[in-house]
Amino acid sequence: MTTTLLQTNSIESLLGKEAENLLTYKAKVSSALLHLPGADFIDRVWINSDRSPRVIRNLQQIYSTGRLANTGYLSILPVDQGIEHSAGASFAPNPIYFDPENIVKLAIEAGCNAVATTVGGLGNISRKYAHKIPFIAKINHNELLTYPNQFDQIMFADVWQAWHLGATAVGATIYFGSEHSHRQIQEVSQAFKHAHELGMATVLWCYLRNSNFHQDQDYHLAADLTGQANHLGVTIEADIIKQKLPECNHGYGAIAKATGRSYGKTDERVYTELTTEHPIDLTRYQVLNCYAGRVGLINSGGAAGENDFAEAVRSAVINKRAGGTGLISGRKTFQRPFEEGVKLFHAIQDVYLSPDVTIA
């Protein structure tokens, strides 16, 4: 294991006034209920599943690559923003990333477990890099060139294409809560079934998308709603779940109140016994919904901004202490000079390598 570069006092400095609260907090739901990350995670958790030996091998490859190799934690570079946000909006701050080879180079130099990007981008450089770092081939996207803009994840590629370019896993997004979610669930479920048949692992971006979720707060980030999205994701056999960090709760009640209509189903004990307002408790509820951690939860590092290092380290601390599996970091890393992107990844990874950042 690589020696950590970011010392505990540096982590505390980046966390600022939140340091003591985030580093010493005891979670409301005991970690004893969880299947926690560790060097033996694949053998301990996945070996008795219905995943084939080829899927298990590819999952192990992801968990055994990069600076976090064989820790049970993951650090992944995702770059599908060229479609989701347009290539100009994504790569104008750092034009070297119009070339997908530089995306892969960043992931390798930063010691990531895997790189996730488009089938076109990976296919263009696959012979040179498919054996050097695990590829997660993203097969669906939301494009914003159509007028008026729509918000719908549609298939851009198929599972066979991912397999032929040497992908270790396929990735997909579902906009849970959207008017198109039923179709997306069915499409992605079938794609994941096919991926498993071909021996590839599966990664699901479990995003929420509905204009009614914007009320007094942005309930796209509510723990109860994102937790349920996670649970739907593991139900269609995602092997890794990607979710945004929760920032609030009580999404079911807030949406029902705002729309004047009954919405969903929940239980008051979710809010009284399983969560509090603390970010670690909110994130632990997301982990609980991933079959109590049997399926690893990776959270996003958030949009790029002025305090990227502090926000990324904060997200990593919350995810790790909640029982999560790692962080997936895109714009924060590739929209800055190459070496700074590497340093930001290392700062995130050092949180997972640090023995002083423990499970809450």
Side-chain angles (χ1 to χ4, degrees), residues 1-34:
M1 183 185 298
T2 306
T3 303
T4 58
L5 301 177
L6 195 64
Q7 301 301 318
T8 302
N9 59 352
S10 297
I11 294 173
E12 292 177 351
S13 176
L14 286 167
L15 293 175
K17 295 179 180 179
E18 289 188 286
E20 182 176 1
N21 183 33
L22 291 178
L23 293 172
T24 64
Y25 182 76
K26 182 67 175 177
K28 189 173 183 67
V29 173
S30 172
S31 62
L33 295 180
L34 304 179

PDB file of all heavy atoms in Angstrom, residues 1-34:
ATOM      1  N   MET A   1       0.842  -1.201   0.000  1.00  0.00           N
ATOM      2  CA  MET A   1       0.000   0.000   0.000  1.00  0.00           C
ATOM      3  C   MET A   1       0.871   1.242   0.000  1.00  0.00           C
ATOM      4  O   MET A   1       1.862   1.325   0.731  1.00  0.00           O
ATOM      5  CB  MET A   1      -0.905   0.008   1.250  1.00  0.00           C
ATOM      6  CG  MET A   1      -1.870   1.173   1.308  1.00  0.00           C
ATOM      7  SD  MET A   1      -2.811   1.212   2.854  1.00  0.00           S
ATOM      8  CE  MET A   1      -3.680  -0.342   2.725  1.00  0.00           C
ATOM      9  N   THR A   2       0.512   2.209  -0.813  1.00  0.00           N
ATOM     10  CA  THR A   2       1.266   3.453  -0.886  1.00  0.00           C
ATOM     11  C   THR A   2       1.131   4.254   0.400  1.00  0.00           C
ATOM     12  O   THR A   2       0.055   4.358   0.973  1.00  0.00           O
ATOM     13  CB  THR A   2       0.752   4.317  -2.056  1.00  0.00           C
ATOM     14  OG1 THR A   2       0.795   3.532  -3.245  1.00  0.00           O
ATOM     15  CG2 THR A   2       1.603   5.555  -2.232  1.00  0.00           C
ATOM     16  N   THR A   3       2.239   4.798   0.886  1.00  0.00           N
ATOM     17  CA  THR A   3       2.202   5.620   2.086  1.00  0.00           C
ATOM     18  C   THR A   3       1.353   6.864   1.841  1.00  0.00           C
ATOM     19  O   THR A   3       1.439   7.486   0.788  1.00  0.00           O
ATOM     20  CB  THR A   3       3.626   6.053   2.490  1.00  0.00           C
ATOM     21  OG1 THR A   3       4.412   4.873   2.661  1.00  0.00           O
ATOM     22  CG2 THR A   3       3.603   6.862   3.764  1.00  0.00           C
ATOM     23  N   THR A   4       0.542   7.214   2.814  1.00  0.00           N
ATOM     24  CA  THR A   4      -0.314   8.387   2.641  1.00  0.00           C
ATOM     25  C   THR A   4       0.522   9.654   2.595  1.00  0.00           C
ATOM     26  O   THR A   4       1.506   9.793   3.303  1.00  0.00           O
ATOM     27  CB  THR A   4      -1.338   8.493   3.781  1.00  0.00           C
ATOM     28  OG1 THR A   4      -0.644   8.550   5.016  1.00  0.00           O
ATOM     29  CG2 THR A   4      -2.272   7.309   3.775  1.00  0.00           C
ATOM     30  N   LEU A   5       0.109  10.567   1.736  1.00  0.00           N
ATOM     31  CA  LEU A   5       0.786  11.852   1.599  1.00  0.00           C
ATOM     32  C   LEU A   5       0.083  12.945   2.383  1.00  0.00           C
ATOM     33  O   LEU A   5       0.707  13.890   2.837  1.00  0.00           O
ATOM     34  CB  LEU A   5       0.862  12.245   0.118  1.00  0.00           C
ATOM     35  CG  LEU A   5       1.597  11.267  -0.808  1.00  0.00           C
ATOM     36  CD1 LEU A   5       1.522  11.763  -2.243  1.00  0.00           C
ATOM     37  CD2 LEU A   5       3.048  11.116  -0.378  1.00  0.00           C
ATOM     38  N   LEU A   6      -1.225  12.796   2.530  1.00  0.00           N
ATOM     39  CA  LEU A   6      -2.014  13.809   3.224  1.00  0.00           C
ATOM     40  C   LEU A   6      -2.152  13.393   4.684  1.00  0.00           C
ATOM     41  O   LEU A   6      -2.871  12.466   5.017  1.00  0.00           O
ATOM     42  CB  LEU A   6      -3.399  13.933   2.573  1.00  0.00           C
ATOM     43  CG  LEU A   6      -4.233  15.166   2.917  1.00  0.00           C
ATOM     44  CD1 LEU A   6      -3.541  16.426   2.416  1.00  0.00           C
ATOM     45  CD2 LEU A   6      -5.611  15.054   2.303  1.00  0.00           C
ATOM     46  N   GLN A   7      -1.405  14.027   5.555  1.00  0.00           N
ATOM     47  CA  GLN A   7      -1.396  13.645   6.964  1.00  0.00           C
ATOM     48  C   GLN A   7      -2.707  14.051   7.638  1.00  0.00           C
ATOM     49  O   GLN A   7      -3.468  14.873   7.133  1.00  0.00           O
ATOM     50  CB  GLN A   7      -0.204  14.303   7.668  1.00  0.00           C
ATOM     51  CG  GLN A   7       1.133  13.919   7.063  1.00  0.00           C
ATOM     52  CD  GLN A   7       1.393  12.429   7.084  1.00  0.00           C
ATOM     53  OE1 GLN A   7       1.108  11.763   8.073  1.00  0.00           O
ATOM     54  NE2 GLN A   7       1.916  11.893   5.994  1.00  0.00           N
ATOM     55  N   THR A   8      -2.931  13.455   8.818  1.00  0.00           N
ATOM     56  CA  THR A   8      -4.175  13.701   9.540  1.00  0.00           C
ATOM     57  C   THR A   8      -4.383  15.185   9.805  1.00  0.00           C
ATOM     58  O   THR A   8      -5.495  15.702   9.679  1.00  0.00           O
ATOM     59  CB  THR A   8      -4.185  12.928  10.877  1.00  0.00           C
ATOM     60  OG1 THR A   8      -4.009  11.540  10.598  1.00  0.00           O
ATOM     61  CG2 THR A   8      -5.504  13.117  11.597  1.00  0.00           C
ATOM     62  N   ASN A   9      -3.312  15.888  10.176  1.00  0.00           N
ATOM     63  CA  ASN A   9      -3.479  17.320  10.444  1.00  0.00           C
ATOM     64  C   ASN A   9      -3.839  18.094   9.184  1.00  0.00           C
ATOM     65  O   ASN A   9      -4.523  19.109   9.240  1.00  0.00           O
ATOM     66  CB  ASN A   9      -2.218  17.901  11.105  1.00  0.00           C
ATOM     67  CG  ASN A   9      -0.971  17.729  10.260  1.00  0.00           C
ATOM     68  OD1 ASN A   9      -0.989  17.045   9.233  1.00  0.00           O
ATOM     69  ND2 ASN A   9       0.122  18.324  10.684  1.00  0.00           N
ATOM     70  N   SER A  10      -3.402  17.594   8.019  1.00  0.00           N
ATOM     71  CA  SER A  10      -3.781  18.234   6.767  1.00  0.00           C
ATOM     72  C   SER A  10      -5.250  17.996   6.464  1.00  0.00           C
ATOM     73  O   SER A  10      -5.949  18.881   5.968  1.00  0.00           O
ATOM     74  CB  SER A  10      -2.923  17.703   5.617  1.00  0.00           C
ATOM     75  OG  SER A  10      -1.560  18.021   5.829  1.00  0.00           O
ATOM     76  N   ILE A  11      -5.734  16.788   6.748  1.00  0.00           N
ATOM     77  CA  ILE A  11      -7.159  16.493   6.576  1.00  0.00           C
ATOM     78  C   ILE A  11      -7.979  17.398   7.484  1.00  0.00           C
ATOM     79  O   ILE A  11      -8.973  17.996   7.062  1.00  0.00           O
ATOM     80  CB  ILE A  11      -7.444  15.002   6.884  1.00  0.00           C
ATOM     81  CG1 ILE A  11      -6.755  14.112   5.852  1.00  0.00           C
ATOM     82  CG2 ILE A  11      -8.948  14.734   6.909  1.00  0.00           C
ATOM     83  CD1 ILE A  11      -6.846  12.632   6.157  1.00  0.00           C
ATOM     84  N   GLU A  12      -7.563  17.521   8.726  1.00  0.00           N
ATOM     85  CA  GLU A  12      -8.275  18.387   9.669  1.00  0.00           C
ATOM     86  C   GLU A  12      -8.272  19.832   9.203  1.00  0.00           C
ATOM     87  O   GLU A  12      -9.272  20.543   9.321  1.00  0.00           O
ATOM     88  CB  GLU A  12      -7.632  18.274  11.049  1.00  0.00           C
ATOM     89  CG  GLU A  12      -7.834  16.908  11.716  1.00  0.00           C
ATOM     90  CD  GLU A  12      -7.115  16.811  13.047  1.00  0.00           C
ATOM     91  OE1 GLU A  12      -6.330  17.737  13.375  1.00  0.00           O
ATOM     92  OE2 GLU A  12      -7.318  15.813  13.757  1.00  0.00           O
ATOM     93  N   SER A  13      -7.144  20.273   8.649  1.00  0.00           N
ATOM     94  CA  SER A  13      -7.048  21.657   8.171  1.00  0.00           C
ATOM     95  C   SER A  13      -8.024  21.900   7.022  1.00  0.00           C
ATOM     96  O   SER A  13      -8.695  22.942   6.986  1.00  0.00           O
ATOM     97  CB  SER A  13      -5.618  21.953   7.725  1.00  0.00           C
ATOM     98  OG  SER A  13      -5.520  23.246   7.172  1.00  0.00           O
ATOM     99  N   LEU A  14      -8.114  20.952   6.112  1.00  0.00           N
ATOM    100  CA  LEU A  14      -9.029  21.102   4.989  1.00  0.00           C
ATOM    101  C   LEU A  14     -10.488  21.050   5.429  1.00  0.00           C
ATOM    102  O   LEU A  14     -11.348  21.711   4.848  1.00  0.00           O
ATOM    103  CB  LEU A  14      -8.759  20.025   3.939  1.00  0.00           C
ATOM    104  CG  LEU A  14      -7.487  20.217   3.107  1.00  0.00           C
ATOM    105  CD1 LEU A  14      -7.151  18.961   2.326  1.00  0.00           C
ATOM    106  CD2 LEU A  14      -7.647  21.401   2.156  1.00  0.00           C
ATOM    107  N   LEU A  15     -10.777  20.286   6.468  1.00  0.00           N
ATOM    108  CA  LEU A  15     -12.142  20.203   6.981  1.00  0.00           C
ATOM    109  C   LEU A  15     -12.538  21.437   7.782  1.00  0.00           C
ATOM    110  O   LEU A  15     -13.726  21.713   7.958  1.00  0.00           O
ATOM    111  CB  LEU A  15     -12.306  18.950   7.859  1.00  0.00           C
ATOM    112  CG  LEU A  15     -12.197  17.604   7.142  1.00  0.00           C
ATOM    113  CD1 LEU A  15     -12.268  16.464   8.155  1.00  0.00           C
ATOM    114  CD2 LEU A  15     -13.272  17.445   6.082  1.00  0.00           C
ATOM    115  N   GLY A  16     -11.544  22.167   8.273  1.00  0.00           N
ATOM    116  CA  GLY A  16     -11.811  23.409   8.992  1.00  0.00           C
ATOM    117  C   GLY A  16     -12.651  23.199  10.244  1.00  0.00           C
ATOM    118  O   GLY A  16     -12.391  22.290  11.038  1.00  0.00           O
ATOM    119  N   LYS A  17     -13.663  24.036  10.418  1.00  0.00           N
ATOM    120  CA  LYS A  17     -14.490  23.993  11.627  1.00  0.00           C
ATOM    121  C   LYS A  17     -15.276  22.687  11.766  1.00  0.00           C
ATOM    122  O   LYS A  17     -15.733  22.346  12.854  1.00  0.00           O
ATOM    123  CB  LYS A  17     -15.463  25.170  11.632  1.00  0.00           C
ATOM    124  CG  LYS A  17     -14.783  26.536  11.736  1.00  0.00           C
ATOM    125  CD  LYS A  17     -15.803  27.665  11.721  1.00  0.00           C
ATOM    126  CE  LYS A  17     -15.135  29.025  11.823  1.00  0.00           C
ATOM    127  NZ  LYS A  17     -16.120  30.149  11.778  1.00  0.00           N
ATOM    128  N   GLU A  18     -15.440  21.965  10.670  1.00  0.00           N
ATOM    129  CA  GLU A  18     -16.186  20.703  10.715  1.00  0.00           C
ATOM    130  C   GLU A  18     -15.322  19.519  11.129  1.00  0.00           C
ATOM    131  O   GLU A  18     -15.833  18.407  11.300  1.00  0.00           O
ATOM    132  CB  GLU A  18     -16.791  20.390   9.345  1.00  0.00           C
ATOM    133  CG  GLU A  18     -17.940  21.270   8.912  1.00  0.00           C
ATOM    134  CD  GLU A  18     -18.578  20.751   7.639  1.00  0.00           C
ATOM    135  OE1 GLU A  18     -17.962  20.913   6.565  1.00  0.00           O
ATOM    136  OE2 GLU A  18     -19.678  20.174   7.725  1.00  0.00           O
ATOM    137  N   ALA A  19     -14.026  19.724  11.274  1.00  0.00           N
ATOM    138  CA  ALA A  19     -13.096  18.604  11.456  1.00  0.00           C
ATOM    139  C   ALA A  19     -13.491  17.688  12.609  1.00  0.00           C
ATOM    140  O   ALA A  19     -13.639  16.476  12.440  1.00  0.00           O
ATOM    141  CB  ALA A  19     -11.674  19.131  11.656  1.00  0.00           C
ATOM    142  N   GLU A  20     -13.650  18.228  13.788  1.00  0.00           N
ATOM    143  CA  GLU A  20     -13.958  17.384  14.953  1.00  0.00           C
ATOM    144  C   GLU A  20     -15.289  16.660  14.772  1.00  0.00           C
ATOM    145  O   GLU A  20     -15.401  15.461  15.057  1.00  0.00           O
ATOM    146  CB  GLU A  20     -13.986  18.225  16.230  1.00  0.00           C
ATOM    147  CG  GLU A  20     -14.258  17.394  17.478  1.00  0.00           C
ATOM    148  CD  GLU A  20     -14.198  18.212  18.756  1.00  0.00           C
ATOM    149  OE1 GLU A  20     -13.954  19.433  18.666  1.00  0.00           O
ATOM    150  OE2 GLU A  20     -14.399  17.634  19.841  1.00  0.00           O
ATOM    151  N   ASN A  21     -16.276  17.383  14.290  1.00  0.00           N
ATOM    152  CA  ASN A  21     -17.594  16.786  14.108  1.00  0.00           C
ATOM    153  C   ASN A  21     -17.556  15.632  13.109  1.00  0.00           C
ATOM    154  O   ASN A  21     -18.132  14.568  13.345  1.00  0.00           O
ATOM    155  CB  ASN A  21     -18.580  17.855  13.638  1.00  0.00           C
ATOM    156  CG  ASN A  21     -19.998  17.330  13.496  1.00  0.00           C
ATOM    157  OD1 ASN A  21     -20.417  16.446  14.245  1.00  0.00           O
ATOM    158  ND2 ASN A  21     -20.732  17.872  12.558  1.00  0.00           N
ATOM    159  N   LEU A  22     -16.861  15.820  11.987  1.00  0.00           N
ATOM    160  CA  LEU A  22     -16.845  14.792  10.953  1.00  0.00           C
ATOM    161  C   LEU A  22     -15.922  13.623  11.295  1.00  0.00           C
ATOM    162  O   LEU A  22     -16.208  12.473  10.924  1.00  0.00           O
ATOM    163  CB  LEU A  22     -16.425  15.398   9.616  1.00  0.00           C
ATOM    164  CG  LEU A  22     -17.419  16.368   8.977  1.00  0.00           C
ATOM    165  CD1 LEU A  22     -16.856  16.934   7.675  1.00  0.00           C
ATOM    166  CD2 LEU A  22     -18.760  15.692   8.706  1.00  0.00           C
ATOM    167  N   LEU A  23     -14.844  13.891  12.014  1.00  0.00           N
ATOM    168  CA  LEU A  23     -13.856  12.841  12.277  1.00  0.00           C
ATOM    169  C   LEU A  23     -14.137  12.040  13.542  1.00  0.00           C
ATOM    170  O   LEU A  23     -13.585  10.936  13.713  1.00  0.00           O
ATOM    171  CB  LEU A  23     -12.450  13.449  12.358  1.00  0.00           C
ATOM    172  CG  LEU A  23     -11.906  14.017  11.041  1.00  0.00           C
ATOM    173  CD1 LEU A  23     -10.611  14.765  11.282  1.00  0.00           C
ATOM    174  CD2 LEU A  23     -11.703  12.902  10.007  1.00  0.00           C
ATOM    175  N   THR A  24     -14.986  12.542  14.426  1.00  0.00           N
ATOM    176  CA  THR A  24     -15.235  11.833  15.688  1.00  0.00           C
ATOM    177  C   THR A  24     -16.688  11.400  15.866  1.00  0.00           C
ATOM    178  O   THR A  24     -17.005  10.700  16.820  1.00  0.00           O
ATOM    179  CB  THR A  24     -14.840  12.714  16.890  1.00  0.00           C
ATOM    180  OG1 THR A  24     -15.683  13.879  16.940  1.00  0.00           O
ATOM    181  CG2 THR A  24     -13.384  13.136  16.791  1.00  0.00           C
ATOM    182  N   TYR A  25     -17.562  11.779  14.954  1.00  0.00           N
ATOM    183  CA  TYR A  25     -18.990  11.501  15.114  1.00  0.00           C
ATOM    184  C   TYR A  25     -19.267  10.000  15.152  1.00  0.00           C
ATOM    185  O   TYR A  25     -18.681   9.219  14.400  1.00  0.00           O
ATOM    186  CB  TYR A  25     -19.774  12.144  13.967  1.00  0.00           C
ATOM    187  CG  TYR A  25     -21.267  11.955  14.080  1.00  0.00           C
ATOM    188  CD1 TYR A  25     -22.019  12.685  14.982  1.00  0.00           C
ATOM    189  CD2 TYR A  25     -21.921  11.013  13.286  1.00  0.00           C
ATOM    190  CE1 TYR A  25     -23.390  12.496  15.095  1.00  0.00           C
ATOM    191  CE2 TYR A  25     -23.289  10.829  13.382  1.00  0.00           C
ATOM    192  CZ  TYR A  25     -24.021  11.564  14.297  1.00  0.00           C
ATOM    193  OH  TYR A  25     -25.381  11.373  14.403  1.00  0.00           O
ATOM    194  N   LYS A  26     -20.178   9.578  16.024  1.00  0.00           N
ATOM    195  CA  LYS A  26     -20.621   8.193  16.110  1.00  0.00           C
ATOM    196  C   LYS A  26     -21.976   8.075  15.426  1.00  0.00           C
ATOM    197  O   LYS A  26     -22.947   8.715  15.832  1.00  0.00           O
ATOM    198  CB  LYS A  26     -20.734   7.755  17.575  1.00  0.00           C
ATOM    199  CG  LYS A  26     -21.142   6.295  17.764  1.00  0.00           C
ATOM    200  CD  LYS A  26     -20.046   5.368  17.281  1.00  0.00           C
ATOM    201  CE  LYS A  26     -20.400   3.906  17.583  1.00  0.00           C
ATOM    202  NZ  LYS A  26     -19.379   2.974  17.049  1.00  0.00           N
ATOM    203  N   ALA A  27     -22.054   7.252  14.405  1.00  0.00           N
ATOM    204  CA  ALA A  27     -23.269   7.155  13.599  1.00  0.00           C
ATOM    205  C   ALA A  27     -24.430   6.577  14.399  1.00  0.00           C
ATOM    206  O   ALA A  27     -24.244   5.768  15.319  1.00  0.00           O
ATOM    207  CB  ALA A  27     -23.019   6.302  12.365  1.00  0.00           C
ATOM    208  N   LYS A  28     -25.638   6.972  14.040  1.00  0.00           N
ATOM    209  CA  LYS A  28     -26.842   6.513  14.737  1.00  0.00           C
ATOM    210  C   LYS A  28     -27.090   5.023  14.497  1.00  0.00           C
ATOM    211  O   LYS A  28     -27.437   4.290  15.422  1.00  0.00           O
ATOM    212  CB  LYS A  28     -28.055   7.322  14.261  1.00  0.00           C
ATOM    213  CG  LYS A  28     -29.331   7.072  15.067  1.00  0.00           C
ATOM    214  CD  LYS A  28     -30.431   8.020  14.640  1.00  0.00           C
ATOM    215  CE  LYS A  28     -31.700   7.829  15.480  1.00  0.00           C
ATOM    216  NZ  LYS A  28     -31.499   8.235  16.899  1.00  0.00           N
ATOM    217  N   VAL A  29     -26.913   4.570  13.253  1.00  0.00           N
ATOM    218  CA  VAL A  29     -27.068   3.149  12.938  1.00  0.00           C
ATOM    219  C   VAL A  29     -25.701   2.483  13.030  1.00  0.00           C
ATOM    220  O   VAL A  29     -24.733   2.928  12.411  1.00  0.00           O
ATOM    221  CB  VAL A  29     -27.653   2.962  11.524  1.00  0.00           C
ATOM    222  CG1 VAL A  29     -27.649   1.490  11.128  1.00  0.00           C
ATOM    223  CG2 VAL A  29     -29.067   3.517  11.464  1.00  0.00           C
ATOM    224  N   SER A  30     -25.612   1.413  13.781  1.00  0.00           N
ATOM    225  CA  SER A  30     -24.334   0.750  14.034  1.00  0.00           C
ATOM    226  C   SER A  30     -23.712   0.207  12.753  1.00  0.00           C
ATOM    227  O   SER A  30     -24.405  -0.364  11.897  1.00  0.00           O
ATOM    228  CB  SER A  30     -24.529  -0.397  15.027  1.00  0.00           C
ATOM    229  OG  SER A  30     -23.345  -1.163  15.149  1.00  0.00           O
ATOM    230  N   SER A  31     -22.400   0.348  12.640  1.00  0.00           N
ATOM    231  CA  SER A  31     -21.678  -0.214  11.502  1.00  0.00           C
ATOM    232  C   SER A  31     -21.704  -1.744  11.529  1.00  0.00           C
ATOM    233  O   SER A  31     -21.392  -2.384  10.520  1.00  0.00           O
ATOM    234  CB  SER A  31     -20.228   0.278  11.507  1.00  0.00           C
ATOM    235  OG  SER A  31     -19.551  -0.161  12.681  1.00  0.00           O
ATOM    236  N   ALA A  32     -22.091  -2.331  12.662  1.00  0.00           N
ATOM    237  CA  ALA A  32     -22.188  -3.788  12.757  1.00  0.00           C
ATOM    238  C   ALA A  32     -23.238  -4.349  11.804  1.00  0.00           C
ATOM    239  O   ALA A  32     -23.208  -5.539  11.475  1.00  0.00           O
ATOM    240  CB  ALA A  32     -22.509  -4.201  14.192  1.00  0.00           C
ATOM    241  N   LEU A  33     -24.158  -3.495  11.350  1.00  0.00           N
ATOM    242  CA  LEU A  33     -25.190  -3.941  10.410  1.00  0.00           C
ATOM    243  C   LEU A  33     -24.690  -3.975   8.972  1.00  0.00           C
ATOM    244  O   LEU A  33     -25.393  -4.470   8.087  1.00  0.00           O
ATOM    245  CB  LEU A  33     -26.412  -3.018  10.489  1.00  0.00           C
ATOM    246  CG  LEU A  33     -27.203  -2.996  11.799  1.00  0.00           C
ATOM    247  CD1 LEU A  33     -28.374  -2.031  11.685  1.00  0.00           C
ATOM    248  CD2 LEU A  33     -27.693  -4.389  12.156  1.00  0.00           C
ATOM    249  N   LEU A  34     -23.492  -3.449   8.736  1.00  0.00           N
ATOM    250  CA  LEU A  34     -23.006  -3.259   7.373  1.00  0.00           C
ATOM    251  C   LEU A  34     -21.960  -4.291   6.972  1.00  0.00           C
ATOM    252  O   LEU A  34     -21.241  -4.843   7.819  1.00  0.00           O
ATOM    253  CB  LEU A  34     -22.393  -1.869   7.224  1.00  0.00           C
ATOM    254  CG  LEU A  34     -23.269  -0.670   7.575  1.00  0.00           C
ATOM    255  CD1 LEU A  34     -22.476   0.613   7.396  1.00  0.00           C
ATOM    256  CD2 LEU A  34     -24.537  -0.650   6.736  1.00  0.00           C
TER     257      LEU A  34
END
